[in-house]
Amino acid sequence: MVDLPQFALRFISGKYQGGEFPLRWDREIVIGRSSDLDMVLVEDMVSRKHAKIATMAGQVVIQDLGSTNGTFVNGEKIKKVRLKEGDRILIGTSILKLVTLNGRGPGMSTSEADARRSMEQSAQRRTSAAGRPMSGSIDEIPLPDLVQLLSTSRKSGVLAVRSDQGHGRVYLRRGQIYYCSIDDAFDLTPHKSFYRMLTWVSGTFELEPPDERNVLEEIQESTEALLMEGMRQLDEMKRMETELPPREATLHLVQPLQVPLRDLSPLELDVLQAAINLGTVGEALDRVSNTDLDAAQKLLSLIQRGYLQPT
């Protein structure tokens, strides 16, 4: 008989973050707000009986039980679907991840009773610490996946992201992104801020309450369109990594300048001026209003054609 993997549901966001609930084979667990269920999630957006997970015949299957706010897997609202390792489930404001218990054989994982006690203790700690209802690490759930989950479930609020690259804020209104900023910098447009944030791979996030402040430039594209364009730009930037100098590299105008300035486009002139005035690759990319991809492509072209020299 083939040994079946030992699975668990790990809470990577929400009031039960850090908790882990084991899944037993040939077993069904019901998730919801009612206190007599197998997994109890005490929050307003969770229905009394919200979803069911069955582990039968070597498969892990989740089914929504007609919940008011829905069950989402990898950003898609589901009725019934088979789960695989790494899948992320959104129920209320909790994000759970299906993980394997590597190195832990049968009988070595936490019991369901112990898991429930651990979840209650985690919820109490986060409540006493005035923790946000939805928070976590973008190391665990990448920003594109997180934004898709928030969009599909039509969440409202401000997604605050803190990383070594800055403090970003994504403003959502019923799942629609309408504004973004990084460090409240006016040089970075909302689109540029959002696309840059998608490159962040480490840091923390919190979904704060809605902030209906007036903004000068609301984003009009759908969140789905923003994500698609952002991922395209991310792929293009990754392809340029080996050719583009690092952000801290200093840029100098080539002396003597042999190539004519009249051959440059308006955007290339903007990038050239920013590079000469500000000095580093990062500062030049920040100053140009176009996206990082547009500015980086022009900057690389200026270097390759003999206008700029990085050191």
Side-chain angles (χ1 to χ4, degrees):
M1 180 177 178
V2 178
D3 289 336
L4 294 173
Q6 298 296 301
F7 286 113
L9 294 172
R10 179 174 297 157
F11 287 82
I12 60 176
S13 175
K15 66 187 292 184
Y16 303 100
Q17 183 183 343
E20 192 173 88
F21 194 94
L23 297 179
R24 313 294 187 196
W25 287 108
D26 300 322
R27 168 97 163 88
E28 286 187 352
I29 64 167
V30 179
I31 304 168
R33 199 173 68 246
S34 180
S35 60
D36 59 346
L37 301 182
D38 305 295
M39 184 192 292
V40 182
L41 304 182
V42 184
E43 56 173 288
D44 293 340
M45 294 185 67
V46 175
S47 298
R48 288 188 68 258
K49 288 188 177 181
H50 196 105
K52 177 177 69 175
I53 293 181
T55 50
M56 307 286 183
Q59 297 184 1
V60 182
V61 176
I62 186 169
Q63 179 181 352
D64 184 77
L65 298 178
S67 64
T68 302
N69 293 298
T71 302
F72 300 83
V73 175
N74 299 328
E76 298 293 330
K77 191 172 185 178
I78 61 96
K79 291 185 177 179
K80 185 177 183 180
V81 70
R82 180 180 176 182
L83 297 173
K84 61 183 183 299
E85 183 183 1
D87 281 348
R88 297 179 180 90
I89 305 158
L90 176 66
I91 296 177
T93 63
S94 292
I95 301 176
L96 305 88
K97 183 178 181 180
L98 183 67
V99 299
T100 55
L101 302 177
N102 294 324
R104 290 188 249 176
M108 294 183 65
S109 59
T110 305
S111 70
E112 291 185 9
D114 288 342
R116 282 190 286 269
R117 281 192 291 270
S118 178
M119 286 171 56
E120 291 171 2
Q121 291 169 359
S122 176
Q124 289 172 359
R125 285 195 301 271
R126 292 181 65 81
T127 301
S128 63
R132 297 295 184 186
M134 193 171 193
S135 63
S137 165
I138 60 174
D139 305 67
E140 281 271 18
I141 176 167
L143 268 176
D145 295 350
L146 177 60
V147 170
Q148 186 177 17
L149 280 171
L150 297 176
S151 172
T152 311
S153 55
R154 300 178 65 80
K155 291 285 192 293
S156 295
V158 181
L159 180 63
V161 184
R162 293 172 176 83
S163 78
D164 291 341
Q165 291 97 325
H167 179 194
R169 296 173 69 81
V170 180
Y171 294 75
L172 295 131
R173 187 186 294 127
R174 295 188 62 77
Q176 172 62 43
I177 295 174
Y178 66 92
Y179 189 69
C180 294
S181 66
I182 297 177
D183 296 327
D184 292 324
F186 292 107
D187 288 342
L188 301 178
T189 65
H191 288 81
K192 185 168 185 166
S193 297
F194 180 70
Y195 297 147
R196 181 176 292 186
M197 287 173 62
L198 292 184
T199 68
W200 297 355
V201 295
S202 182
T204 60
F205 71 85
E206 290 182 351
L207 183 63
E208 300 175 347
D211 180 352
E212 289 294 339
R213 70 178 62 184
N214 292 324
V215 296
L216 294 176
E217 180 184 350
E218 281 207 8
I219 293 173
Q220 300 300 321
E221 296 94 329
S222 68
T223 299
E224 182 181 16
L226 280 174
L227 280 170
M228 289 179 62
E229 176 60 17
M231 297 310 295
R232 183 193 72 81
Q233 294 200 19
L234 181 59
D235 289 341
E236 292 293 330
M237 288 292 288
K238 285 181 177 177
R239 280 194 280 270
M240 295 173 57
E241 278 181 353
T242 57
E243 300 178 273
L244 193 68
R247 285 182 61 87
E248 62 273 13
T250 302
L251 297 165
H252 303 278
L253 186 67
V254 172
Q255 298 287 352
L257 188 62
Q258 303 291 339
V259 285
L261 293 174
R262 64 175 176 271
D263 291 344
L264 298 181
S265 68
L267 177 54
E268 287 171 331
L269 286 170
D270 287 346
V271 174
L272 181 65
Q273 184 175 9
I276 295 170
N277 291 345
L278 299 169
T280 69
V281 170
E283 290 170 323
L285 294 180
D286 287 347
R287 180 58 57 88
V288 178
S289 61
N290 295 67
T291 65
D292 283 339
L293 176 61
D294 290 337
Q297 287 174 333
K298 298 305 181 186
L299 181 60
L300 185 58
S301 176
L302 291 169
I303 293 171
Q304 293 172 338
R305 290 156 59 194
Y307 290 93
L308 292 171
Q309 176 66 47
T311 57

